[in-house]
Amino acid sequence: MCGIVGYVGQELCAPILVDGLRRLEYRGYDSAGLAVHSSGKIEVRRAVGKLRNLEKALDERPLPGNVGIGHTRWATHGRPSETNAHPHVAGPIAVVHNGIIENHLELRRRLKEAGCTIVSDTDTELVAHLVHAEVERGKDLESAVRAALRELEGAYAIAVLSSKEPDRIVIAKQSSPLVIGLGEDATHCASDIPALLPYTRSMLFLEDGEMAVIEQGGAVVTTLDGKAVEREPRHIDWSPVMAEKAGYKHFMLKEIFEQPRAIEDTLRGRLDRANADIHGHEVGLSEEDAKGIERVLLLACGTSHHAALAGRYYLEALAKVPTSVEIASEFRGRDAVVRPGDLVVAVSQSGETLDTLVAAKEAKAKGAKVLSIVNVIDSAIPRMSDATFYTHAGPEIGVASTKCFSTQLANLLMLAIWLGRRRGTLDAARAGELVEGLAHLPHQMKDVLSGTRQLVANLARRYVEARDVLFLGRGLSFPIALEGALKLKEISYVHAEGYAAGEMKHGPIALIDNKVPVIVLLPKDSHHERSLSNLQEAKAREAIVIGIATEGDEAAREVSDDLVEIPAVAEELAPFLTVLPLQLYSYYVADFKGTDVDQPRNLAKTVTVE
Ligand code: M6R
């Protein structure tokens, strides 16, 4: 999982490529590199670690030229090192690649037997040698890439330069994302939209099995078999500012505060307030389909999996449809039972998470209909789905997912309401309450964010040294507890566990002492009394108890050491509010610890490996 960029135009390309890579650094930051056509040859600069190291290398040895490619790496084959950094070069050829070549061992063996000197441990260098071999046989760059791709099994988005054809880049895609940006006097390519936004809004999305030759005047897209592809560019209305920090210290903080806007955008045009219903045409199901669904199977990873766990509550309570939730990587290859009457819902921010993609494909192959809930348009999961109910959170750059989580909750709740209305399990009065409740959420979220920010920052400061933190919740608050713990772990490296509050007495209670903050989610809902008892159990073991409770909950105030209040809302809507202080808590703990909040160690935003 890496980021690639390319530029063909009249400007000096190195600063443009570096700028694109900076916007893609969330995809990996083990090393970075550029290859640029310069005075009749290709020149390469590479550096281990973050982009600033590459910038330093470029300051010392600038790269003049108007055509080039770049890469930011998340290591898969071979440790992070300058030798393993992209671009990889073979003869006149330079290649950057995002993905994994599955038959790399076989290719390496064959290339070595043919006398190739392979210097890196990467699968990408093999691609450079394969293209080089075809060029040696007399092919032009496009034909050479086309021929080399026939040898590859696995996932790739590649961009290739040849010193013999200095006016073009050849790109190709299979399973990894690749977008072409059509500018006025330049053509760009990149793994993701934010890298292109400062230069153009006119974008062409390559499909799997397609390649393109990009030149200053535009791009010619063909299939790998050489058939012409006619596709209209799409206008992307994300502004570049939306993809930048907008004055916040970190993308994560900005994205936490963007949630009211993200929810508003996600609800826009979908709430049918007049009829206490949801406009559900995007879910791609007929009224008959909705009635006939026998089971919903939710597939997801990480934070999206936590949203899916909340989705199960919604679907069972409102649409009365049996629902199971699977961690996508555990579903894959298990030969799980999937029937044609099942609706599979794949939930993913990126739409590129390999485990979720493959799990959804497996379910589809067994006859299930696949609906996806995804944030990134035209990404891999929507492309294989029967329908996609997009979240409209905008680009999420922080590795820790925040605004995409709440927009996923919104779509799952809307799906449950829509199904419930069609299946006759949700009456208009209750649906109306939920639809109105959703409509009011953005301003309530805004109030909770501004009203709790300082208090939560103070708590984070007070407990920043805690080595373990527990998060407890029941019902819909259980997935929120899991999410609170995941956020804290991934950005602050503090050990945290999320538990179903009722499960604590079956083991985890042994962890509790007077050094362990226990964050208990206890909004006024059908589980409130029992959650309060669990809070008291923790308190009796001398835990430091932080309650997240509904305004005016005196019982919660009495037993909590610290209390964070949210407004009273319907049970189904409480997760949208209770998750906010948890996101802020993890953010401030990480910030006080001085960790790399937006790019925590060992992680990457989009996980396109198994
Ligand atoms: O793009 P996806 O939603 O499919 O990604 C799934 C997980 O990789 C992702 O949620 C991950 O757990 C985040 N780092 C959580 O903040």
Side-chain angles (χ1 to χ4, degrees):
M1 143 188 40
C2 306
I4 68 174
V5 288
Y7 172 88
V8 189
Q10 291 173 320
E11 307 283 323
L12 278 181
C13 66
I16 296 170
L17 294 172
V18 168
D19 179 59
L21 292 180
R22 184 169 299 108
R23 293 165 210 281
L24 294 181
E25 244 190 327
Y26 69 89
R27 300 178 69 85
Y29 32 84
D30 290 333
S31 63
L34 298 187
V36 171
H37 278 293
S38 209
S39 321
K41 55 186 193 329
I42 293 175
E43 288 225 42
V44 173
R45 302 284 180 273
R46 304 186 295 188
V48 180
K50 295 224 171 160
L51 204 50
R52 56 180 169 267
N53 299 343
L54 176 66
E55 287 178 287
K56 222 168 125 223
L58 288 165
D59 285 344
E60 285 160 11
R61 293 174 63 218
L63 271 185
N66 322 108
V67 178
I69 55 179
H71 188 270
T72 181
R73 177 166 189 250
W74 191 76
T76 53
H77 284 70
R79 67 186 180 83
S81 68
E82 191 170 327
T83 314
N84 286 334
H86 300 213
H88 288 282
V89 175
I93 301 300
V95 178
V96 290
H97 164 223
N98 167 35
I100 289 184
I101 305 303
E102 283 166 12
N103 57 335
H104 64 102
L105 288 176
E106 160 66 12
L107 291 174
R108 186 174 282 268
R109 188 187 54 74
R110 264 183 34 210
L111 285 163
K112 276 192 171 160
E113 278 171 12
C116 265
T117 307
I118 300 168
V119 293
S120 76
D121 305 318
T122 67
D123 47 355
T124 307
E125 187 189 345
L126 312 178
V127 181
H129 287 293
L130 290 172
V131 177
H132 179 207
E134 298 296 338
V135 168
E136 290 281 275
R137 287 181 192 116
K139 294 195 173 80
D140 62 20
L141 181 60
E142 182 184 359
S143 317
V145 171
R146 199 185 298 285
L149 293 178
R150 289 199 194 101
E151 312 273 333
L152 304 185
E153 288 166 22
Y156 55 78
I158 56 166
V160 189
L161 293 184
S162 165
S163 59
K164 297 178 183 212
E165 298 180 42
D167 58 343
R168 64 188 54 191
I169 303 172
V170 175
I171 62 175
K173 165 183 165 33
Q174 182 64 46
S175 298
S176 300
L178 196 50
V179 188
I180 299 169
L182 302 166
E184 295 256 305
D185 296 310
T187 309
H188 306 245
C189 65
S191 300
D192 200 358
I193 296 165
L196 304 177
L197 283 174
Y199 308 102
T200 179
R201 307 285 179 80
S202 175
M203 300 194 193
L204 207 54
F205 294 85
L206 275 199
E207 297 282 348
D208 283 348
E210 289 178 354
M211 56 188 290
V213 177
I214 63 176
E215 295 179 330
Q216 189 188 331
V220 177
V221 182
T222 54
T223 64
L224 294 188
D225 306 331
K227 293 193 191 87
V229 173
E230 293 300 325
R231 183 170 305 132
E232 284 301 306
R234 294 188 51 178
H235 180 82
I236 301 298
D237 58 8
W238 292 0
S239 71
V241 175
M242 283 168 84
E244 284 168 10
K245 283 188 210 161
Y248 287 95
K249 186 171 176 191
H250 294 100
F251 280 113
M252 181 184 176
L253 189 61
K254 169 180 169 260
E255 287 159 6
I256 289 172
F257 277 87
E258 271 178 356
Q259 287 176 103
R261 199 269 310 143
I263 290 289
E264 211 167 298
D265 286 351
T266 297
L267 299 178
R268 185 166 295 123
R270 290 161 168 176
L271 300 184
D272 181 358
R273 295 175 78 172
N275 296 302
D277 204 351
I278 298 297
H279 296 294
H281 56 277
E282 292 159 282
V283 304
L285 300 170
S286 67
E287 304 266 325
E288 277 317 297
D289 290 338
K291 287 184 194 129
I293 294 168
E294 285 167 20
R295 178 178 71 139
V296 173
L297 176 56
L298 291 151
L299 300 174
C301 300
T303 285
S304 300
H305 174 250
H306 299 155
L309 287 170
R312 176 173 65 191
Y313 287 82
Y314 294 148
L315 288 159
E316 291 189 336
L318 306 176
K320 302 286 178 236
V321 56
T323 302
S324 39
V325 186
E326 295 264 4
I327 295 172
S329 57
E330 287 297 313
F331 176 84
R332 295 180 53 182
R334 198 183 74 209
D335 206 12
V337 177
V338 179
R339 300 192 192 88
D342 289 348
L343 172 68
V344 164
V345 181
V347 185
S348 172
Q349 181 286 128
S350 60
E352 298 284 346
T353 299
L354 191 68
D355 285 322
T356 310
L357 175 65
V358 175
K361 280 183 176 168
E362 278 183 21
K364 191 172 186 180
K366 290 178 176 174
K369 203 168 182 124
V370 176
L371 166 66
S372 51
I373 293 180
V374 169
N375 193 47
V376 178
I377 51 168
D378 281 359
S379 51
I381 294 173
R383 285 202 302 273
M384 59 71 57
S385 303
D386 295 296
T388 302
F389 192 22
Y390 281 110
T391 53
H392 295 307
E396 190 178 65
I397 307 297
V399 164
S401 184
T402 52
K403 61 178 180 170
C404 287
F405 175 73
S406 38
T407 55
Q408 287 167 346
L409 289 181
N411 277 21
L412 286 159
L413 179 52
M414 286 193 279
L415 174 65
I417 296 171
W418 185 83
L419 283 174
R421 296 295 285 136
R422 262 105 226 124
R423 291 164 71 87
T425 54
L426 180 64
D427 62 39
R430 181 89 188 94
E433 263 172 48
L434 291 171
V435 169
E436 287 310 304
L438 276 166
H440 287 100
L441 265 183
H443 81 249
Q444 288 172 320
M445 293 174 84
K446 213 180 254 171
D447 290 349
V448 170
L449 284 167
S450 56
T452 64
R453 179 180 187 167
Q454 195 51 53
L455 168 63
V456 174
N458 295 344
L459 293 175
R461 170 78 76 193
R462 193 174 320 146
Y463 302 124
V464 69
E465 296 305 336
R467 289 187 49 195
D468 308 281
V469 180
L470 291 184
F471 292 78
L472 304 179
R474 278 175 184 265
L476 269 166
S477 291
F478 170 46
I480 305 306
L482 291 174
E483 178 58 8
L486 177 63
K487 287 285 90 78
L488 191 60
K489 277 185 273 210
E490 66 181 336
I491 60 166
S492 71
Y493 319 142
V494 170
H495 171 240
E497 300 287 349
Y499 275 104
E503 186 65 9
M504 191 182 63
K505 57 187 173 297
H506 298 289
I509 199 163
L511 291 171
I512 292 180
D513 64 21
N514 61 6
K515 293 193 180 54
V516 179
V518 180
I519 301 183
V520 186
L521 297 151
L522 66 167
K524 271 270 168 68
D525 60 14
S526 50
H527 305 278
H528 179 258
E529 288 307 314
R530 280 171 293 149
S531 301
L532 204 54
S533 307
N534 299 131
L535 191 156
Q536 271 153 339
E537 285 158 15
K539 189 73 205 146
R541 270 87 186 166
E542 300 192 341
I544 305 157
V545 174
I546 303 170
I548 314 278
T550 307
E551 279 161 4
D553 184 345
E554 289 312 316
R557 177 173 297 283
E558 227 166 82
V559 265
S560 303
D561 294 288
D562 300 285
L563 193 72
V564 180
E565 293 184 313
I566 59 152
V569 286
E571 180 156 351
E572 290 80 356
L573 301 173
F576 293 86
L577 303 181
T578 53
V579 76
L580 302 175
L582 304 193
Q583 294 168 342
L584 287 170
Y585 184 80
S586 65
Y587 171 78
Y588 283 112
V589 171
D591 191 35
F592 294 144
K593 281 184 175 290
T595 62
D596 193 342
V597 170
D598 285 329
Q599 296 178 343
R601 68 187 183 201
N602 305 336
L603 293 176
K605 182 71 181 163
T606 308
V607 184
T608 49
V609 292
E610 299 179 58

PDB file of all heavy atoms in Angstrom, residues 253-271:
ATOM      1  N   LEU A 253      -7.584  16.055  14.067  1.00  0.00           N
ATOM      2  CA  LEU A 253      -8.409  16.999  14.826  1.00  0.00           C
ATOM      3  C   LEU A 253      -9.382  17.713  13.890  1.00  0.00           C
ATOM      4  O   LEU A 253     -10.562  17.889  14.192  1.00  0.00           O
ATOM      5  CB  LEU A 253      -7.510  18.012  15.552  1.00  0.00           C
ATOM      6  CG  LEU A 253      -8.228  18.906  16.551  1.00  0.00           C
ATOM      7  CD1 LEU A 253      -8.875  18.089  17.662  1.00  0.00           C
ATOM      8  CD2 LEU A 253      -7.273  19.934  17.165  1.00  0.00           C
ATOM      9  N   LYS A 254      -8.873  18.088  12.740  1.00  0.00           N
ATOM     10  CA  LYS A 254      -9.739  18.751  11.752  1.00  0.00           C
ATOM     11  C   LYS A 254     -10.901  17.814  11.375  1.00  0.00           C
ATOM     12  O   LYS A 254     -12.060  18.222  11.306  1.00  0.00           O
ATOM     13  CB  LYS A 254      -8.905  19.085  10.520  1.00  0.00           C
ATOM     14  CG  LYS A 254      -9.712  19.524   9.321  1.00  0.00           C
ATOM     15  CD  LYS A 254      -8.779  19.838   8.159  1.00  0.00           C
ATOM     16  CE  LYS A 254      -9.546  20.008   6.880  1.00  0.00           C
ATOM     17  NZ  LYS A 254      -9.515  18.830   6.017  1.00  0.00           N
ATOM     18  N   GLU A 255     -10.570  16.560  11.195  1.00  0.00           N
ATOM     19  CA  GLU A 255     -11.604  15.617  10.748  1.00  0.00           C
ATOM     20  C   GLU A 255     -12.617  15.336  11.862  1.00  0.00           C
ATOM     21  O   GLU A 255     -13.803  15.134  11.598  1.00  0.00           O
ATOM     22  CB  GLU A 255     -10.929  14.345  10.207  1.00  0.00           C
ATOM     23  CG  GLU A 255     -10.298  14.644   8.846  1.00  0.00           C
ATOM     24  CD  GLU A 255      -9.201  13.696   8.406  1.00  0.00           C
ATOM     25  OE1 GLU A 255      -8.947  12.687   9.090  1.00  0.00           O
ATOM     26  OE2 GLU A 255      -8.593  13.972   7.350  1.00  0.00           O
ATOM     27  N   ILE A 256     -12.135  15.358  13.121  1.00  0.00           N
ATOM     28  CA  ILE A 256     -13.082  15.202  14.236  1.00  0.00           C
ATOM     29  C   ILE A 256     -14.084  16.366  14.195  1.00  0.00           C
ATOM     30  O   ILE A 256     -15.296  16.172  14.308  1.00  0.00           O
ATOM     31  CB  ILE A 256     -12.327  15.176  15.586  1.00  0.00           C
ATOM     32  CG1 ILE A 256     -11.553  13.864  15.738  1.00  0.00           C
ATOM     33  CG2 ILE A 256     -13.297  15.363  16.761  1.00  0.00           C
ATOM     34  CD1 ILE A 256     -10.623  13.822  16.964  1.00  0.00           C
ATOM     35  N   PHE A 257     -13.558  17.579  13.994  1.00  0.00           N
ATOM     36  CA  PHE A 257     -14.444  18.749  13.993  1.00  0.00           C
ATOM     37  C   PHE A 257     -15.251  18.889  12.707  1.00  0.00           C
ATOM     38  O   PHE A 257     -16.208  19.663  12.652  1.00  0.00           O
ATOM     39  CB  PHE A 257     -13.636  20.017  14.314  1.00  0.00           C
ATOM     40  CG  PHE A 257     -13.454  20.178  15.794  1.00  0.00           C
ATOM     41  CD1 PHE A 257     -12.390  19.578  16.443  1.00  0.00           C
ATOM     42  CD2 PHE A 257     -14.403  20.841  16.553  1.00  0.00           C
ATOM     43  CE1 PHE A 257     -12.252  19.659  17.819  1.00  0.00           C
ATOM     44  CE2 PHE A 257     -14.283  20.926  17.936  1.00  0.00           C
ATOM     45  CZ  PHE A 257     -13.191  20.337  18.576  1.00  0.00           C
ATOM     46  N   GLU A 258     -14.870  18.166  11.688  1.00  0.00           N
ATOM     47  CA  GLU A 258     -15.646  18.195  10.437  1.00  0.00           C
ATOM     48  C   GLU A 258     -16.888  17.324  10.501  1.00  0.00           C
ATOM     49  O   GLU A 258     -17.684  17.309   9.558  1.00  0.00           O
ATOM     50  CB  GLU A 258     -14.779  17.656   9.293  1.00  0.00           C
ATOM     51  CG  GLU A 258     -13.962  18.699   8.588  1.00  0.00           C
ATOM     52  CD  GLU A 258     -13.089  18.075   7.512  1.00  0.00           C
ATOM     53  OE1 GLU A 258     -13.063  16.845   7.374  1.00  0.00           O
ATOM     54  OE2 GLU A 258     -12.424  18.832   6.826  1.00  0.00           O
ATOM     55  N   GLN A 259     -17.027  16.554  11.580  1.00  0.00           N
ATOM     56  CA  GLN A 259     -18.103  15.555  11.575  1.00  0.00           C
ATOM     57  C   GLN A 259     -19.509  16.123  11.395  1.00  0.00           C
ATOM     58  O   GLN A 259     -20.304  15.543  10.659  1.00  0.00           O
ATOM     59  CB  GLN A 259     -18.012  14.661  12.817  1.00  0.00           C
ATOM     60  CG  GLN A 259     -16.833  13.707  12.655  1.00  0.00           C
ATOM     61  CD  GLN A 259     -16.573  12.837  13.854  1.00  0.00           C
ATOM     62  OE1 GLN A 259     -16.903  11.672  13.858  1.00  0.00           O
ATOM     63  NE2 GLN A 259     -15.967  13.405  14.877  1.00  0.00           N
ATOM     64  N   PRO A 260     -19.830  17.257  12.030  1.00  0.00           N
ATOM     65  CA  PRO A 260     -21.178  17.778  11.771  1.00  0.00           C
ATOM     66  C   PRO A 260     -21.408  18.032  10.276  1.00  0.00           C
ATOM     67  O   PRO A 260     -22.460  17.687   9.735  1.00  0.00           O
ATOM     68  CB  PRO A 260     -21.195  19.093  12.566  1.00  0.00           C
ATOM     69  CG  PRO A 260     -20.168  18.880  13.658  1.00  0.00           C
ATOM     70  CD  PRO A 260     -19.107  18.034  13.047  1.00  0.00           C
ATOM     71  N   ARG A 261     -20.389  18.580   9.617  1.00  0.00           N
ATOM     72  CA  ARG A 261     -20.513  18.843   8.168  1.00  0.00           C
ATOM     73  C   ARG A 261     -20.589  17.527   7.394  1.00  0.00           C
ATOM     74  O   ARG A 261     -21.389  17.371   6.464  1.00  0.00           O
ATOM     75  CB  ARG A 261     -19.294  19.665   7.705  1.00  0.00           C
ATOM     76  CG  ARG A 261     -19.443  20.386   6.416  1.00  0.00           C
ATOM     77  CD  ARG A 261     -19.000  19.581   5.192  1.00  0.00           C
ATOM     78  NE  ARG A 261     -17.685  18.987   5.337  1.00  0.00           N
ATOM     79  CZ  ARG A 261     -17.357  17.786   4.872  1.00  0.00           C
ATOM     80  NH1 ARG A 261     -18.239  17.042   4.244  1.00  0.00           N
ATOM     81  NH2 ARG A 261     -16.142  17.291   5.046  1.00  0.00           N
ATOM     82  N   ALA A 262     -19.778  16.576   7.797  1.00  0.00           N
ATOM     83  CA  ALA A 262     -19.749  15.288   7.089  1.00  0.00           C
ATOM     84  C   ALA A 262     -21.107  14.586   7.210  1.00  0.00           C
ATOM     85  O   ALA A 262     -21.615  14.000   6.246  1.00  0.00           O
ATOM     86  CB  ALA A 262     -18.639  14.406   7.655  1.00  0.00           C
ATOM     87  N   ILE A 263     -21.700  14.675   8.401  1.00  0.00           N
ATOM     88  CA  ILE A 263     -23.013  14.037   8.599  1.00  0.00           C
ATOM     89  C   ILE A 263     -24.068  14.782   7.763  1.00  0.00           C
ATOM     90  O   ILE A 263     -24.895  14.160   7.083  1.00  0.00           O
ATOM     91  CB  ILE A 263     -23.395  14.042  10.101  1.00  0.00           C
ATOM     92  CG1 ILE A 263     -22.494  13.073  10.887  1.00  0.00           C
ATOM     93  CG2 ILE A 263     -24.868  13.693  10.324  1.00  0.00           C
ATOM     94  CD1 ILE A 263     -22.742  11.601  10.629  1.00  0.00           C
ATOM     95  N   GLU A 264     -23.986  16.089   7.796  1.00  0.00           N
ATOM     96  CA  GLU A 264     -24.940  16.879   7.006  1.00  0.00           C
ATOM     97  C   GLU A 264     -24.871  16.490   5.527  1.00  0.00           C
ATOM     98  O   GLU A 264     -25.889  16.252   4.885  1.00  0.00           O
ATOM     99  CB  GLU A 264     -24.574  18.352   7.175  1.00  0.00           C
ATOM    100  CG  GLU A 264     -25.751  19.292   7.103  1.00  0.00           C
ATOM    101  CD  GLU A 264     -25.316  20.671   7.589  1.00  0.00           C
ATOM    102  OE1 GLU A 264     -24.914  20.794   8.768  1.00  0.00           O
ATOM    103  OE2 GLU A 264     -25.354  21.594   6.777  1.00  0.00           O
ATOM    104  N   ASP A 265     -23.642  16.413   5.003  1.00  0.00           N
ATOM    105  CA  ASP A 265     -23.468  16.050   3.588  1.00  0.00           C
ATOM    106  C   ASP A 265     -23.980  14.640   3.321  1.00  0.00           C
ATOM    107  O   ASP A 265     -24.521  14.340   2.254  1.00  0.00           O
ATOM    108  CB  ASP A 265     -21.993  16.124   3.188  1.00  0.00           C
ATOM    109  CG  ASP A 265     -21.516  17.561   3.061  1.00  0.00           C
ATOM    110  OD1 ASP A 265     -22.355  18.484   3.111  1.00  0.00           O
ATOM    111  OD2 ASP A 265     -20.292  17.766   2.929  1.00  0.00           O
ATOM    112  N   THR A 266     -23.751  13.766   4.291  1.00  0.00           N
ATOM    113  CA  THR A 266     -24.148  12.367   4.099  1.00  0.00           C
ATOM    114  C   THR A 266     -25.672  12.207   4.150  1.00  0.00           C
ATOM    115  O   THR A 266     -26.248  11.366   3.453  1.00  0.00           O
ATOM    116  CB  THR A 266     -23.431  11.484   5.147  1.00  0.00           C
ATOM    117  OG1 THR A 266     -22.028  11.590   4.905  1.00  0.00           O
ATOM    118  CG2 THR A 266     -23.833  10.036   5.066  1.00  0.00           C
ATOM    119  N   LEU A 267     -26.319  13.047   4.957  1.00  0.00           N
ATOM    120  CA  LEU A 267     -27.786  12.948   5.057  1.00  0.00           C
ATOM    121  C   LEU A 267     -28.481  13.676   3.899  1.00  0.00           C
ATOM    122  O   LEU A 267     -29.643  13.379   3.586  1.00  0.00           O
ATOM    123  CB  LEU A 267     -28.267  13.585   6.369  1.00  0.00           C
ATOM    124  CG  LEU A 267     -27.763  12.965   7.683  1.00  0.00           C
ATOM    125  CD1 LEU A 267     -28.304  13.754   8.875  1.00  0.00           C
ATOM    126  CD2 LEU A 267     -28.179  11.504   7.796  1.00  0.00           C
ATOM    127  N   ARG A 268     -27.737  14.606   3.277  1.00  0.00           N
ATOM    128  CA  ARG A 268     -28.357  15.489   2.269  1.00  0.00           C
ATOM    129  C   ARG A 268     -29.079  14.690   1.187  1.00  0.00           C
ATOM    130  O   ARG A 268     -28.544  13.776   0.593  1.00  0.00           O
ATOM    131  CB  ARG A 268     -27.295  16.382   1.639  1.00  0.00           C
ATOM    132  CG  ARG A 268     -27.866  17.397   0.687  1.00  0.00           C
ATOM    133  CD  ARG A 268     -26.884  18.486   0.333  1.00  0.00           C
ATOM    134  NE  ARG A 268     -26.539  19.294   1.490  1.00  0.00           N
ATOM    135  CZ  ARG A 268     -25.307  19.481   1.944  1.00  0.00           C
ATOM    136  NH1 ARG A 268     -24.302  18.923   1.340  1.00  0.00           N
ATOM    137  NH2 ARG A 268     -25.083  20.228   3.004  1.00  0.00           N
ATOM    138  N   GLY A 269     -30.348  15.030   0.971  1.00  0.00           N
ATOM    139  CA  GLY A 269     -31.125  14.418  -0.099  1.00  0.00           C
ATOM    140  C   GLY A 269     -31.609  13.016   0.225  1.00  0.00           C
ATOM    141  O   GLY A 269     -32.227  12.353  -0.608  1.00  0.00           O
ATOM    142  N   ARG A 270     -31.321  12.544   1.425  1.00  0.00           N
ATOM    143  CA  ARG A 270     -31.687  11.160   1.745  1.00  0.00           C
ATOM    144  C   ARG A 270     -32.793  11.057   2.794  1.00  0.00           C
ATOM    145  O   ARG A 270     -33.433  10.024   2.904  1.00  0.00           O
ATOM    146  CB  ARG A 270     -30.447  10.405   2.219  1.00  0.00           C
ATOM    147  CG  ARG A 270     -29.473  10.163   1.069  1.00  0.00           C
ATOM    148  CD  ARG A 270     -28.104   9.850   1.542  1.00  0.00           C
ATOM    149  NE  ARG A 270     -27.274   9.341   0.458  1.00  0.00           N
ATOM    150  CZ  ARG A 270     -25.986   9.052   0.574  1.00  0.00           C
ATOM    151  NH1 ARG A 270     -25.376   9.231   1.727  1.00  0.00           N
ATOM    152  NH2 ARG A 270     -25.309   8.595  -0.446  1.00  0.00           N
ATOM    153  N   LEU A 271     -32.977  12.131   3.570  1.00  0.00           N
ATOM    154  CA  LEU A 271     -34.039  12.084   4.584  1.00  0.00           C
ATOM    155  C   LEU A 271     -35.355  12.531   3.939  1.00  0.00           C
ATOM    156  O   LEU A 271     -35.435  13.617   3.378  1.00  0.00           O
ATOM    157  CB  LEU A 271     -33.700  13.020   5.753  1.00  0.00           C
ATOM    158  CG  LEU A 271     -32.414  12.739   6.519  1.00  0.00           C
ATOM    159  CD1 LEU A 271     -32.273  13.704   7.701  1.00  0.00           C
ATOM    160  CD2 LEU A 271     -32.347  11.295   7.024  1.00  0.00           C
TER     161      LEU A 271
END
